[in-house]
């Protein structure tokens, strides 16, 4: 089926091969999406990014059956005159480019706002002016805090889904005060969503907005000091993986009380492919893409990852597997957090018939097996002390 012959959309119509301009194709999500498009569809990808390490295996010339269907263009969309030409060459543009690491939101708020709003403006403009469809990647952070988080701690309504489940068409976007710079990201992402939506309403732009809820899997983020900066702070999964690989305690920010839902990258990519291939069902919609069944507190996630890592590595866990740190100590001044993030799945289910499949245990096992296989040796080498001769 690699050539995609005879594939039909959800309404039984043959799927025509598309040319897709993918901005941010070299990142975590981009690499998995490119892989899916190469192995299971006939579509062609113009892959735009600054780096291509995560998609190198797809770019080897002449060795694979999709040679010629993926072209890498080394482009920083900030200031590259080639961008509009590439958008024009494609039927559809997918924009994945973003700074999306919470550690950057209050230490680099200007970069965060520029990369997520200003740099995305030309992409929206070129799609609108050239009548090209746009799938824009936003974030579940646009919801901010839940309504329930403003109720007293022991209030019974905190347990009522109406007060915490996040719905694309109903839930408000609630952010902290301006001095809480953590919300610089969510605010920039919300404003670009409003702009995309307005282009649709005023100028007929065909768009789909994706709000990912913690997509997890191989090739996510980086391991500090190995394939990323030593002082870098990636997102929670890579942070915890790094601690496990180095046999250090996992740092729980403010007691690890925040609740999150996690979804396996391969489940999420299925949803994106349905959006790509069913424009009539996806256009004009905002979609939550997450797994409401995989909810845990960050503390529970740490405990579960410790257990799973022991299983995949064959090493016993260290004596004190977690340590509490304050958010000020970990992230610096101006940090704030969402209490709980559970996606409502009604719209994506109705429009695309999609549901996530992979349990949290299984996705952690798959991801940590990858982390262990990929990084354990490199970390041993990096941490072994040179012996004096």
């Amino acid at each position: 089926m690699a050539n995609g012959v005879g594939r039909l959309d959800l309404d039984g119509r043959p799927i025509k091969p598309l040319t897709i301009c993918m901005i941010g194709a070299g990142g975590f999500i981009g690499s998995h999406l490119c892989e899916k498009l190469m192995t299971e569809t006939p579509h062609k990808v113009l892959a735009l990014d600054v780096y291509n390490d995560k998609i190198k295996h797809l770019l080897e010339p002449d060795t694979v059956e999709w040679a010629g269907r993926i072209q890498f263009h080394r482009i920083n969309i900030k200031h590259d005159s080639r961008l509009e030409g590439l958008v024009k060459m494609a039927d559809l543009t997918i924009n994945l480019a973003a700074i999306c690491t919470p550690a950057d939101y209050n230490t680099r708020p200007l970069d965060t706002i520029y990369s997520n709003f200003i740099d995305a403006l030309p992409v929206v403009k070129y799609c609108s002016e050239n009548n090209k469809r746009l799938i824009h990647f936003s974030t579940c952070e646009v919801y901010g805090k839940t309504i329930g988080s403003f109720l007293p701690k022991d209030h019974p309504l905190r347990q009522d889904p109406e007060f915490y489940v996040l719905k694309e068409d109903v839930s408000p976007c609630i952010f902290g005060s301006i001095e809480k710079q953590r919300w610089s990201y969510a605010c920039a992402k919300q404003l670009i969503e409003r702009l995309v939506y307005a282009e649709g309403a005023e100028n007929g732009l065909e768009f789909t907005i994706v709000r990912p809820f913690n997509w997890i899997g191989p090739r996510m983020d980086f391991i500090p000091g190995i394939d990323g900066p030593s002082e870098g702070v990636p997102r929670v999964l890579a942070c915890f993986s790094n601690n496990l690989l180095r046999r250090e305690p996992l740092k729980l920010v403010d007691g690890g009380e925040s609740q999150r839902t996690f979804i396996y990258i391969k489940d999420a990519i299925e949803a994106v492919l349905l959006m790509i291939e069913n424009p009539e069902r996806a256009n004009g919609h905002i979609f939550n893409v997450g797994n409401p069944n995989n909810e845990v507190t960050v503390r529970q996630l740490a405990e579960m990852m410790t257990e799973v890592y022991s299983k995949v590595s064959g090493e016993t866990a260290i004596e004190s597997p977690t340590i509490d740190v304050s958010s000020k100590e970990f992230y610096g001044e101006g940090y704030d957090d969402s209490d709980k993030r559970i996606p409502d799945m009604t719209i994506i289910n109705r429009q695309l018939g999609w549901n996530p499949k992979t349990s949290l245990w299984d996705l952690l096992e798959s991801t940590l097996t990858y982390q262990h296989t990929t990084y354990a040796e490199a970390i041993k080498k990096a941490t072994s002390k040179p012996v004096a001769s």
Side-chain angles (χ1 to χ4, degrees), residues 92-105:
L92 156 70
T93 292
I94 300 177
N95 191 5
L96 291 153
I99 285 181
C100 54
T101 312
D104 291 326
Y105 305 160

Side-chain angles (χ1 to χ4, degrees), residues 116-117 120 124 136-143 168 173 186-200 205 207-212 285-288:
N116 291 295
F117 180 67
V124 182
H136 183 81
F137 271 70
S138 183
T139 168
C140 59
E141 291 240 352
V142 297
Y143 291 110
E168 300 95 328
C173 304
C187 196
K189 283 291 208 182
Q190 187 201 146
L191 192 53
I192 198 77
E193 274 200 33
R194 291 194 183 277
L195 185 106
V196 168
Y197 196 90
E199 279 287 357
L205 172 69
F207 72 86
T208 301
I209 290 169
V210 184
R211 291 181 180 164
H285 285 285
I286 298 171
F287 291 118
N288 287 340

Side-chain angles (χ1 to χ4, degrees), residues 27 52 54 87 99 124 141 158 172 208 218 233 248 261 276 288 299 301 308 342-343 350 366 382:
N52 65 6
K54 295 184 184 190
V87 169
I99 285 181
V124 182
E141 291 240 352
R158 274 190 171 230
T208 301
V233 180
E248 299 164 350
T261 54
I276 291 170
N288 287 340
R299 180 179 289 278
L301 177 73
V308 173
I342 300 190
R350 183 187 70 216
S366 153

Side-chain angles (χ1 to χ4, degrees), residues 18 26-27 94 98 118 189 202 226 252 257 291 308 314 325 333 363 368-369 385:
L18 300 166
I94 300 177
I118 308 288
K189 283 291 208 182
E202 284 191 41
I226 302 297
L252 298 178
E257 296 309 306
N291 189 337
V308 173
V325 295
E333 276 301 345
L363 76 84
L368 288 172
T369 301
K385 301 274 185 288

Side-chain angles (χ1 to χ4, degrees), residues 116-166:
N116 291 295
F117 180 67
I118 308 288
D119 298 349
L121 286 174
V123 179
V124 182
K125 178 169 168 267
Y126 298 149
C127 287
S128 189
E129 286 173 354
N130 295 292
N131 295 316
K132 299 293 185 180
R133 187 174 167 225
L134 171 67
I135 296 181
H136 183 81
F137 271 70
S138 183
T139 168
C140 59
E141 291 240 352
V142 297
Y143 291 110
K145 302 177 180 223
T146 65
I147 303 174
S149 69
F150 292 90
L151 295 168
K153 276 259 184 295
D154 47 3
H155 199 290
L157 285 176
R158 274 190 171 230
Q159 307 309 314
D160 182 340
E162 283 300 307
F163 286 78
Y164 63 77
V165 173
L166 303 170

Side-chain angles (χ1 to χ4, degrees), residues 14 222 285 312 338 382:
F222 58 91
H285 285 285
V312 304
S338 312

